[in-house]
Amino acid sequence: MKFISLVTIATLFVAAFALPSPEGGKSDLEARVENSGTAAAVDLTSLDLEARDNDGAAPELSSLGEGDSELEARQNGGGNSRNCGSRNDARPFFRRYKSSVDDHMYSLNRDEGSASGYNFEGVSSFIFPTRRPGTVPFYRLYNSRNSDHLYTTSASERDSAMRQGYNSQGIAGHIYPGNRCGGIPFYRMHNPRGNHHFYTTSRSEARSAISRGYNNEGIAGYVYGS
């Protein structure tokens, strides 16, 4: 009887201290972690950066390195989309300059401007003579009072310029409004001293113009490089 009593007492003693684990069978460590309110951190910085990169804003010239536009063009389809024009249909967009009036002129006609004292400076880019999928008109205007050629894809800017003394010279050609078809930026600058505009696909040339007093007016559109 003494032996049975000791066994019974031992059984009762063990049962009294065999408490169930907290949180419905979870271990004490699991319960503390779950109740601590700790969660994995979300990196909002990268999401914000992605949003800014896709807002359509023109990049600052100073933040871009040489060669980025060519890489950008390859990453954006290289003109292979069915909704884009064929690179083979693009034609040279010649550039001329008249130093006496500090005016640059761009034309699909290589000889245009030669009789008026504009010196040939080569091919600025390649654009379409007629409309192609994904392109928009590149309007050309001229102000004889300050000898400035203005090019824009904006019909409203064209109309505004005409109210300020510019004469419409029609459509210089057709270019892309964005870079999805593989075009590269056609940078636009403006010199407030003589109210002259300048366009180039070269970042280094654009930065040089800015250092000489031109203001960066962003990207006029997207064209093909030579």
Side-chain angles (χ1 to χ4, degrees):
M1 293 294 294
K2 291 181 180 181
F3 175 76
I4 295 175
S5 299
L6 290 174
V7 171
T8 303
I9 293 172
T11 302
L12 293 174
F13 180 83
V14 171
F17 287 93
L19 299 177
S21 60
E23 299 297 319
K26 296 173 183 174
S27 69
D28 182 56
L29 177 61
E30 290 174 327
R32 288 201 306 272
V33 171
E34 182 171 310
N35 293 329
S36 67
T38 303
V42 177
D43 186 3
L44 297 179
T45 304
S46 62
L47 297 178
D48 181 57
L49 177 61
E50 182 179 353
R52 291 199 303 272
D53 286 343
N54 289 285
D55 64 1
E60 293 293 334
L61 295 177
S62 59
S63 67
L64 299 174
E66 288 294 340
D68 289 350
S69 59
E70 287 76 10
L71 174 60
E72 181 181 75
R74 291 196 299 273
Q75 291 175 337
N76 286 282
N80 293 325
S81 170
R82 288 178 298 177
N83 296 321
C84 299
S86 170
R87 172 66 176 79
N88 295 331
D89 293 333
R91 295 293 179 264
F93 199 35
F94 300 105
R95 180 174 115 183
R96 286 182 174 270
Y97 176 66
K98 189 173 183 178
S99 59
S100 61
V101 292
D102 192 27
D103 180 44
H104 285 88
M105 183 183 72
Y106 304 79
S107 175
L108 289 167
N109 182 347
R110 180 188 177 97
D111 297 326
E112 184 181 6
S114 60
S116 302
Y118 283 82
N119 295 318
F120 185 71
E121 290 193 332
V123 177
S124 70
S125 57
F126 285 77
I127 68 173
F128 296 103
T130 57
R131 185 151 191 181
R132 291 294 185 271
T135 66
V136 294
F138 200 30
Y139 300 110
R140 169 175 155 173
L141 302 99
Y142 180 68
N143 190 331
S144 59
R145 288 182 300 184
N146 63 318
S147 300
D148 177 52
H149 280 91
L150 171 67
Y151 299 80
T152 179
T153 59
S154 170
S156 60
E157 185 180 32
R158 175 202 61 190
D159 296 342
S160 176
M162 291 176 67
R163 290 192 293 269
Q164 298 174 36
Y166 282 83
N167 294 316
S168 173
Q169 293 188 330
I171 296 175
H174 292 76
I175 64 176
Y176 295 116
N179 65 355
R180 68 179 181 83
C181 288
I184 60 176
F186 202 31
Y187 299 113
R188 169 175 155 172
M189 269 100 13
H190 175 251
N191 190 336
R193 290 196 300 265
N195 194 27
H196 294 122
H197 290 86
F198 173 58
Y199 303 79
T200 180
T201 59
S202 167
R203 288 182 177 84
S204 61
E205 191 173 36
R207 284 193 289 263
S208 176
I210 290 172
S211 70
R212 299 195 309 271
Y214 281 80
N215 295 325
N216 173 22
E217 291 193 333
I219 297 174
Y222 289 80
V223 297
Y224 290 119
S226 56

